[in-house]
Amino acid sequence: MNGAQAERTGLAWRRTTLSATACTVFLLGAAVRNEGAWDFVPVGLAALTALALAVVGRHRERSLRTDPEPTALKPVLPAMVATLCCATAVSLFVTY
């Protein structure tokens, strides 16, 4: 894979991480306004998801730069699981 493809992939992961961080900040604002202890659980899960996206994205970009034939799904799986868990937990907390 050439350098431009790895750079585009890295930028996409950074944009996704930035979006997850923005959602975390919005959830934090809502939790502070509600002042309930359970309202901070989705904030923590969203923060962990943003952190997982940042770590996996950095690893993915590095692997694309160094490995000529990178595996497609293996490094992305932890970020997918973290995002799914966070989305499920946040939807449960928002509906109740």
Side-chain angles (χ1 to χ4, degrees):
M1 199 173 267
N2 67 22
Q5 290 172 328
E7 181 69 22
R8 283 195 307 270
T9 300
L11 289 172
W13 277 97
R14 286 185 208 127
R15 283 191 306 270
T16 305
T17 302
L18 182 62
S19 298
T21 304
C23 290
T24 303
V25 170
F26 289 135
L27 284 171
L28 180 62
V32 168
R33 282 191 302 278
N34 290 339
E35 297 179 359
W38 284 105
D39 293 330
F40 288 95
V41 172
V43 176
L45 292 171
L48 288 175
T49 300
L51 181 64
L53 287 169
V55 169
V56 172
R58 183 156 173 87
H59 172 73
R60 181 71 174 146
E61 183 179 3
R62 282 186 179 182
S63 70
L64 289 175
R65 289 183 188 277
T66 58
D67 191 8
E69 291 293 327
T71 57
L73 187 59
K74 192 170 19 175
V76 180
L77 192 58
M80 289 171 41
V81 170
T83 304
L84 180 63
C85 290
C86 180
T88 303
V90 169
S91 68
L92 289 175
F93 276 96
V94 169
T95 54
Y96 293 113

